[in-house]
Amino acid sequence: MPRYYSARLVKSGPIVGVKLFFGAPVIDGEELDRSPRLQCLVDTETSGRYVWQLDDRGAPLDVEGCMLRQVTPIDEAEYRFLTARAQWAAEHKPEHIAAAPQRRIDLTKMPGIF
């Protein structure tokens, strides 16, 4: 049964969806014929990223050397929203904060409300 989380890849970065599951490795959308292992999909990644460290609740902390910040459990619907938003931003609006989750949000460069 997969578990879903929201997290940040960098301090003050946008929130991304994280899926933690146990299964065969998936690389470039293709499932490999290998033994099942604990895997983690971060943001819109199609390749499996392997989990190195879990906290006491079982939430991922370290995924292939990338420390996750502010990890919070969410439901599948919110995970799908976060990944769909990131995919939309990458395709249609590359300046959107969700398009580059590895960059910090710079509030001085955001457009004003009025």
Side-chain angles (χ1 to χ4, degrees):
M1 183 88 178
R3 291 183 278 171
Y4 302 96
Y5 300 92
S6 65
R8 295 180 192 269
L9 300 180
V10 295
K11 183 178 178 181
S12 300
I15 295 174
V16 297
V18 178
K19 178 181 177 182
L20 185 67
F21 66 100
F22 189 79
V26 177
I27 296 181
D28 295 331
E30 181 181 340
E31 186 174 306
L32 301 179
D33 186 23
R34 301 276 198 291
S35 60
R37 59 197 75 188
L38 190 61
Q39 296 182 84
C40 189
L41 296 180
V42 179
D43 199 24
T44 57
E45 298 281 337
T46 56
S47 60
R49 302 178 95 184
Y50 301 113
V51 177
W52 298 115
Q53 186 179 2
L54 299 172
D55 68 4
D56 55 349
R57 299 172 301 161
L61 288 175
D62 187 343
V63 181
E64 286 192 351
C66 174
M67 288 298 294
L68 300 176
R69 293 164 167 72
Q70 298 177 345
V71 179
T72 308
I74 58 173
D75 59 358
E76 184 178 2
E78 188 171 352
Y79 167 77
R80 292 195 182 280
F81 167 76
L82 290 171
T83 55
R85 180 184 68 166
Q87 186 175 10
W88 172 86
E91 291 175 10
H92 301 288
K93 196 169 183 184
E95 68 275 4
H96 192 276
I97 59 172
Q102 65 279 6
R103 285 195 322 238
R104 295 178 63 168
I105 299 172
D106 187 1
L107 297 177
T108 61
K109 294 183 180 178
M110 294 184 73
I113 297 173
F114 301 105

mmCIF file of all heavy atoms in Angstrom, residues 79-112:
data_model
loop_
_atom_site.group_PDB
_atom_site.id
_atom_site.type_symbol
_atom_site.label_atom_id
_atom_site.label_comp_id
_atom_site.label_asym_id
_atom_site.label_seq_id
_atom_site.Cartn_x
_atom_site.Cartn_y
_atom_site.Cartn_z
ATOM 1 N N TYR A 79 -1.631 14.386 -3.454
ATOM 2 C CA TYR A 79 -0.406 13.995 -4.154
ATOM 3 C C TYR A 79 -0.578 14.173 -5.663
ATOM 4 O O TYR A 79 0.286 14.739 -6.332
ATOM 5 C CB TYR A 79 -0.043 12.546 -3.821
ATOM 6 C CG TYR A 79 1.009 11.964 -4.728
ATOM 7 C CD1 TYR A 79 2.349 12.282 -4.568
ATOM 8 C CD2 TYR A 79 0.651 11.112 -5.771
ATOM 9 C CE1 TYR A 79 3.316 11.762 -5.418
ATOM 10 C CE2 TYR A 79 1.605 10.592 -6.623
ATOM 11 C CZ TYR A 79 2.940 10.917 -6.442
ATOM 12 O OH TYR A 79 3.883 10.400 -7.288
ATOM 13 N N ARG A 80 -1.696 13.702 -6.189
ATOM 14 C CA ARG A 80 -1.958 13.833 -7.627
ATOM 15 C C ARG A 80 -2.049 15.301 -8.046
ATOM 16 O O ARG A 80 -1.592 15.677 -9.120
ATOM 17 C CB ARG A 80 -3.217 13.080 -8.013
ATOM 18 C CG ARG A 80 -3.050 11.582 -7.886
ATOM 19 C CD ARG A 80 -4.138 10.819 -8.608
ATOM 20 N NE ARG A 80 -3.992 9.396 -8.427
ATOM 21 C CZ ARG A 80 -3.143 8.634 -9.092
ATOM 22 N NH1 ARG A 80 -2.338 9.179 -9.973
ATOM 23 N NH2 ARG A 80 -3.084 7.342 -8.877
ATOM 24 N N PHE A 81 -2.653 16.146 -7.192
ATOM 25 C CA PHE A 81 -2.717 17.578 -7.488
ATOM 26 C C PHE A 81 -1.319 18.182 -7.552
ATOM 27 O O PHE A 81 -1.002 18.928 -8.481
ATOM 28 C CB PHE A 81 -3.549 18.313 -6.442
ATOM 29 C CG PHE A 81 -3.391 19.800 -6.509
ATOM 30 C CD1 PHE A 81 -4.007 20.531 -7.510
ATOM 31 C CD2 PHE A 81 -2.589 20.470 -5.603
ATOM 32 C CE1 PHE A 81 -3.835 21.901 -7.597
ATOM 33 C CE2 PHE A 81 -2.418 21.842 -5.680
ATOM 34 C CZ PHE A 81 -3.041 22.562 -6.679
ATOM 35 N N LEU A 82 -0.469 17.875 -6.570
ATOM 36 C CA LEU A 82 0.881 18.445 -6.535
ATOM 37 C C LEU A 82 1.701 18.023 -7.752
ATOM 38 O O LEU A 82 2.414 18.831 -8.346
ATOM 39 C CB LEU A 82 1.592 18.048 -5.242
ATOM 40 C CG LEU A 82 1.064 18.678 -3.961
ATOM 41 C CD1 LEU A 82 1.703 18.027 -2.740
ATOM 42 C CD2 LEU A 82 1.289 20.173 -3.954
ATOM 43 N N THR A 83 1.613 16.753 -8.142
ATOM 44 C CA THR A 83 2.382 16.289 -9.299
ATOM 45 C C THR A 83 1.814 16.852 -10.603
ATOM 46 O O THR A 83 2.572 17.192 -11.504
ATOM 47 C CB THR A 83 2.445 14.760 -9.351
ATOM 48 O OG1 THR A 83 1.123 14.227 -9.323
ATOM 49 C CG2 THR A 83 3.246 14.204 -8.195
ATOM 50 N N ALA A 84 0.479 16.973 -10.703
ATOM 51 C CA ALA A 84 -0.124 17.541 -11.912
ATOM 52 C C ALA A 84 0.234 19.023 -12.047
ATOM 53 O O ALA A 84 0.509 19.512 -13.151
ATOM 54 C CB ALA A 84 -1.634 17.362 -11.884
ATOM 55 N N ARG A 85 0.248 19.751 -10.912
ATOM 56 C CA ARG A 85 0.617 21.170 -10.942
ATOM 57 C C ARG A 85 2.060 21.343 -11.401
ATOM 58 O O ARG A 85 2.377 22.209 -12.216
ATOM 59 C CB ARG A 85 0.434 21.801 -9.563
ATOM 60 C CG ARG A 85 0.811 23.279 -9.529
ATOM 61 C CD ARG A 85 0.715 23.837 -8.159
ATOM 62 N NE ARG A 85 1.740 23.246 -7.313
ATOM 63 C CZ ARG A 85 2.082 23.713 -6.132
ATOM 64 N NH1 ARG A 85 1.458 24.745 -5.618
ATOM 65 N NH2 ARG A 85 3.038 23.140 -5.428
ATOM 66 N N ALA A 86 2.956 20.504 -10.895
ATOM 67 C CA ALA A 86 4.366 20.594 -11.285
ATOM 68 C C ALA A 86 4.547 20.275 -12.765
ATOM 69 O O ALA A 86 5.322 20.935 -13.460
ATOM 70 C CB ALA A 86 5.207 19.657 -10.428
ATOM 71 N N GLN A 87 3.824 19.286 -13.254
ATOM 72 C CA GLN A 87 3.925 18.922 -14.666
ATOM 73 C C GLN A 87 3.366 20.041 -15.554
ATOM 74 O O GLN A 87 3.958 20.395 -16.562
ATOM 75 C CB GLN A 87 3.181 17.623 -14.925
ATOM 76 C CG GLN A 87 3.353 17.098 -16.324
ATOM 77 C CD GLN A 87 2.693 15.750 -16.505
ATOM 78 O OE1 GLN A 87 1.946 15.281 -15.650
ATOM 79 N NE2 GLN A 87 2.963 15.117 -17.621
ATOM 80 N N TRP A 88 2.234 20.617 -15.150
ATOM 81 C CA TRP A 88 1.653 21.727 -15.910
ATOM 82 C C TRP A 88 2.624 22.916 -15.951
ATOM 83 O O TRP A 88 2.833 23.517 -16.999
ATOM 84 C CB TRP A 88 0.326 22.160 -15.297
ATOM 85 C CG TRP A 88 -0.208 23.404 -15.929
ATOM 86 C CD1 TRP A 88 -0.970 23.487 -17.049
ATOM 87 C CD2 TRP A 88 0.024 24.748 -15.489
ATOM 88 N NE1 TRP A 88 -1.230 24.802 -17.342
ATOM 89 C CE2 TRP A 88 -0.633 25.593 -16.400
ATOM 90 C CE3 TRP A 88 0.715 25.318 -14.423
ATOM 91 C CZ2 TRP A 88 -0.621 26.983 -16.265
ATOM 92 C CZ3 TRP A 88 0.724 26.692 -14.298
ATOM 93 C CH2 TRP A 88 0.058 27.508 -15.209
ATOM 94 N N ALA A 89 3.186 23.252 -14.800
ATOM 95 C CA ALA A 89 4.099 24.396 -14.721
ATOM 96 C C ALA A 89 5.333 24.174 -15.596
ATOM 97 O O ALA A 89 5.793 25.098 -16.269
ATOM 98 C CB ALA A 89 4.506 24.648 -13.277
ATOM 99 N N ALA A 90 5.867 22.971 -15.586
ATOM 100 C CA ALA A 90 7.051 22.680 -16.395
ATOM 101 C C ALA A 90 6.756 22.813 -17.889
ATOM 102 O O ALA A 90 7.600 23.274 -18.661
ATOM 103 C CB ALA A 90 7.572 21.295 -16.086
ATOM 104 N N GLU A 91 5.549 22.436 -18.310
ATOM 105 C CA GLU A 91 5.200 22.478 -19.733
ATOM 106 C C GLU A 91 4.726 23.854 -20.195
ATOM 107 O O GLU A 91 5.043 24.274 -21.301
ATOM 108 C CB GLU A 91 4.103 21.455 -20.031
ATOM 109 C CG GLU A 91 4.548 20.023 -19.915
ATOM 110 C CD GLU A 91 3.410 19.039 -20.091
ATOM 111 O OE1 GLU A 91 2.297 19.464 -20.492
ATOM 112 O OE2 GLU A 91 3.614 17.853 -19.821
ATOM 113 N N HIS A 92 3.932 24.543 -19.365
ATOM 114 C CA HIS A 92 3.252 25.745 -19.830
ATOM 115 C C HIS A 92 3.753 27.061 -19.240
ATOM 116 O O HIS A 92 3.555 28.105 -19.858
ATOM 117 C CB HIS A 92 1.751 25.630 -19.550
ATOM 118 C CG HIS A 92 1.124 24.449 -20.218
ATOM 119 N ND1 HIS A 92 0.908 24.383 -21.572
ATOM 120 C CD2 HIS A 92 0.690 23.265 -19.722
ATOM 121 C CE1 HIS A 92 0.361 23.234 -21.887
ATOM 122 N NE2 HIS A 92 0.220 22.525 -20.786
ATOM 123 N N LYS A 93 4.321 27.028 -18.053
ATOM 124 C CA LYS A 93 4.748 28.272 -17.410
ATOM 125 C C LYS A 93 6.029 28.011 -16.626
ATOM 126 O O LYS A 93 6.016 27.857 -15.410
ATOM 127 C CB LYS A 93 3.635 28.770 -16.489
ATOM 128 C CG LYS A 93 3.790 30.201 -16.081
ATOM 129 C CD LYS A 93 2.539 30.710 -15.398
ATOM 130 C CE LYS A 93 2.723 32.165 -15.079
ATOM 131 N NZ LYS A 93 1.600 32.696 -14.329
ATOM 132 N N PRO A 94 7.180 27.976 -17.313
ATOM 133 C CA PRO A 94 8.435 27.620 -16.649
ATOM 134 C C PRO A 94 8.877 28.574 -15.549
ATOM 135 O O PRO A 94 9.698 28.206 -14.720
ATOM 136 C CB PRO A 94 9.456 27.592 -17.775
ATOM 137 C CG PRO A 94 8.774 28.005 -19.005
ATOM 138 C CD PRO A 94 7.328 28.187 -18.726
ATOM 139 N N GLU A 95 8.329 29.802 -15.503
ATOM 140 C CA GLU A 95 8.700 30.731 -14.436
ATOM 141 C C GLU A 95 7.900 30.500 -13.157
ATOM 142 O O GLU A 95 8.194 31.112 -12.126
ATOM 143 C CB GLU A 95 8.532 32.190 -14.906
ATOM 144 C CG GLU A 95 7.116 32.630 -15.144
ATOM 145 C CD GLU A 95 6.584 32.276 -16.537
ATOM 146 O OE1 GLU A 95 7.280 31.623 -17.328
ATOM 147 O OE2 GLU A 95 5.441 32.652 -16.813
ATOM 148 N N HIS A 96 6.914 29.611 -13.192
ATOM 149 C CA HIS A 96 6.102 29.292 -12.007
ATOM 150 C C HIS A 96 6.982 28.601 -10.964
ATOM 151 O O HIS A 96 7.898 27.857 -11.305
ATOM 152 C CB HIS A 96 4.937 28.385 -12.416
ATOM 153 C CG HIS A 96 3.898 28.229 -11.370
ATOM 154 N ND1 HIS A 96 4.002 27.311 -10.358
ATOM 155 C CD2 HIS A 96 2.728 28.875 -11.177
ATOM 156 C CE1 HIS A 96 2.932 27.394 -9.583
ATOM 157 N NE2 HIS A 96 2.140 28.337 -10.062
ATOM 158 N N ILE A 97 6.671 28.854 -9.685
ATOM 159 C CA ILE A 97 7.508 28.278 -8.623
ATOM 160 C C ILE A 97 7.464 26.757 -8.604
ATOM 161 O O ILE A 97 8.429 26.111 -8.204
ATOM 162 C CB ILE A 97 7.120 28.836 -7.239
ATOM 163 C CG1 ILE A 97 5.665 28.536 -6.925
ATOM 164 C CG2 ILE A 97 7.411 30.312 -7.151
ATOM 165 C CD1 ILE A 97 5.243 28.875 -5.517
ATOM 166 N N ALA A 98 6.372 26.148 -9.054
ATOM 167 C CA ALA A 98 6.263 24.687 -9.052
ATOM 168 C C ALA A 98 7.093 24.045 -10.157
ATOM 169 O O ALA A 98 7.332 22.844 -10.119
ATOM 170 C CB ALA A 98 4.806 24.271 -9.196
ATOM 171 N N ALA A 99 7.546 24.829 -11.139
ATOM 172 C CA ALA A 99 8.318 24.282 -12.253
ATOM 173 C C ALA A 99 9.747 23.926 -11.857
ATOM 174 O O ALA A 99 10.393 23.124 -12.517
ATOM 175 C CB ALA A 99 8.338 25.269 -13.417
ATOM 176 N N ALA A 100 10.254 24.522 -10.789
ATOM 177 C CA ALA A 100 11.636 24.267 -10.355
ATOM 178 C C ALA A 100 11.664 24.038 -8.846
ATOM 179 O O ALA A 100 11.999 24.937 -8.077
ATOM 180 C CB ALA A 100 12.532 25.427 -10.731
ATOM 181 N N PRO A 101 11.300 22.830 -8.383
ATOM 182 C CA PRO A 101 11.232 22.581 -6.942
ATOM 183 C C PRO A 101 12.578 22.580 -6.236
ATOM 184 O O PRO A 101 12.634 22.653 -5.014
ATOM 185 C CB PRO A 101 10.576 21.202 -6.852
ATOM 186 C CG PRO A 101 10.870 20.565 -8.154
ATOM 187 C CD PRO A 101 10.932 21.667 -9.162
ATOM 188 N N GLN A 102 13.674 22.540 -6.990
ATOM 189 C CA GLN A 102 15.002 22.547 -6.373
ATOM 190 C C GLN A 102 15.517 23.960 -6.115
ATOM 191 O O GLN A 102 16.578 24.131 -5.546
ATOM 192 C CB GLN A 102 16.000 21.756 -7.223
ATOM 193 C CG GLN A 102 16.286 22.350 -8.573
ATOM 194 C CD GLN A 102 15.220 22.034 -9.619
ATOM 195 O OE1 GLN A 102 14.185 21.458 -9.339
ATOM 196 N NE2 GLN A 102 15.491 22.423 -10.845
ATOM 197 N N ARG A 103 14.742 24.999 -6.522
ATOM 198 C CA ARG A 103 15.126 26.390 -6.268
ATOM 199 C C ARG A 103 14.291 26.970 -5.142
ATOM 200 O O ARG A 103 13.113 26.663 -4.996
ATOM 201 C CB ARG A 103 14.897 27.242 -7.522
ATOM 202 C CG ARG A 103 15.916 27.022 -8.590
ATOM 203 C CD ARG A 103 15.880 28.126 -9.634
ATOM 204 N NE ARG A 103 14.546 28.581 -9.943
ATOM 205 C CZ ARG A 103 14.001 28.569 -11.154
ATOM 206 N NH1 ARG A 103 14.683 28.113 -12.158
ATOM 207 N NH2 ARG A 103 12.780 29.014 -11.342
ATOM 208 N N ARG A 104 14.906 27.863 -4.362
ATOM 209 C CA ARG A 104 14.189 28.569 -3.300
ATOM 210 C C ARG A 104 13.231 29.578 -3.912
ATOM 211 O O ARG A 104 13.477 30.111 -4.979
ATOM 212 C CB ARG A 104 15.175 29.293 -2.398
ATOM 213 C CG ARG A 104 16.093 28.362 -1.634
ATOM 214 C CD ARG A 104 17.059 29.127 -0.799
ATOM 215 N NE ARG A 104 16.303 29.882 0.204
ATOM 216 C CZ ARG A 104 16.843 30.475 1.237
ATOM 217 N NH1 ARG A 104 18.143 30.435 1.402
ATOM 218 N NH2 ARG A 104 16.113 31.135 2.093
ATOM 219 N N ILE A 105 12.133 29.844 -3.209
ATOM 220 C CA ILE A 105 11.184 30.858 -3.645
ATOM 221 C C ILE A 105 11.739 32.220 -3.252
ATOM 222 O O ILE A 105 12.028 32.466 -2.082
ATOM 223 C CB ILE A 105 9.809 30.636 -2.998
ATOM 224 C CG1 ILE A 105 9.244 29.277 -3.408
ATOM 225 C CG2 ILE A 105 8.854 31.756 -3.356
ATOM 226 C CD1 ILE A 105 7.982 28.885 -2.666
ATOM 227 N N ASP A 106 11.891 33.096 -4.232
ATOM 228 C CA ASP A 106 12.384 34.455 -3.986
ATOM 229 C C ASP A 106 11.185 35.404 -4.022
ATOM 230 O O ASP A 106 10.666 35.721 -5.095
ATOM 231 C CB ASP A 106 13.413 34.850 -5.039
ATOM 232 C CG ASP A 106 14.083 36.180 -4.728
ATOM 233 O OD1 ASP A 106 13.754 36.786 -3.681
ATOM 234 O OD2 ASP A 106 14.935 36.593 -5.522
ATOM 235 N N LEU A 107 10.735 35.834 -2.861
ATOM 236 C CA LEU A 107 9.548 36.678 -2.771
ATOM 237 C C LEU A 107 9.750 38.042 -3.397
ATOM 238 O O LEU A 107 8.780 38.696 -3.805
ATOM 239 C CB LEU A 107 9.119 36.826 -1.310
ATOM 240 C CG LEU A 107 8.694 35.530 -0.616
ATOM 241 C CD1 LEU A 107 8.364 35.787 0.845
ATOM 242 C CD2 LEU A 107 7.511 34.908 -1.322
ATOM 243 N N THR A 108 10.991 38.502 -3.520
ATOM 244 C CA THR A 108 11.233 39.820 -4.114
ATOM 245 C C THR A 108 11.023 39.802 -5.635
ATOM 246 O O THR A 108 10.819 40.852 -6.223
ATOM 247 C CB THR A 108 12.659 40.301 -3.825
ATOM 248 O OG1 THR A 108 13.587 39.385 -4.388
ATOM 249 C CG2 THR A 108 12.890 40.424 -2.318
ATOM 250 N N LYS A 109 11.045 38.632 -6.244
ATOM 251 C CA LYS A 109 10.865 38.534 -7.696
ATOM 252 C C LYS A 109 9.444 38.160 -8.088
ATOM 253 O O LYS A 109 9.134 38.076 -9.263
ATOM 254 C CB LYS A 109 11.842 37.522 -8.273
ATOM 255 C CG LYS A 109 13.281 37.963 -8.149
ATOM 256 C CD LYS A 109 14.213 37.001 -8.792
ATOM 257 C CE LYS A 109 15.649 37.487 -8.641
ATOM 258 N NZ LYS A 109 16.597 36.560 -9.224
ATOM 259 N N MET A 110 8.582 37.938 -7.100
ATOM 260 C CA MET A 110 7.199 37.588 -7.413
ATOM 261 C C MET A 110 6.402 38.841 -7.746
ATOM 262 O O MET A 110 6.646 39.895 -7.175
ATOM 263 C CB MET A 110 6.560 36.838 -6.237
ATOM 264 C CG MET A 110 7.194 35.494 -5.980
ATOM 265 S SD MET A 110 6.384 34.589 -4.681
ATOM 266 C CE MET A 110 4.892 34.121 -5.496
ATOM 267 N N PRO A 111 5.435 38.732 -8.681
ATOM 268 C CA PRO A 111 4.621 39.913 -9.006
ATOM 269 C C PRO A 111 3.743 40.330 -7.831
ATOM 270 O O PRO A 111 3.334 39.489 -7.021
ATOM 271 C CB PRO A 111 3.785 39.432 -10.197
ATOM 272 C CG PRO A 111 3.786 37.956 -10.097
ATOM 273 C CD PRO A 111 5.069 37.574 -9.437
ATOM 274 N N GLY A 112 3.454 41.612 -7.772
ATOM 275 C CA GLY A 112 2.612 42.120 -6.697
ATOM 276 C C GLY A 112 1.159 41.729 -6.859
ATOM 277 O O GLY A 112 0.726 41.281 -7.914
#
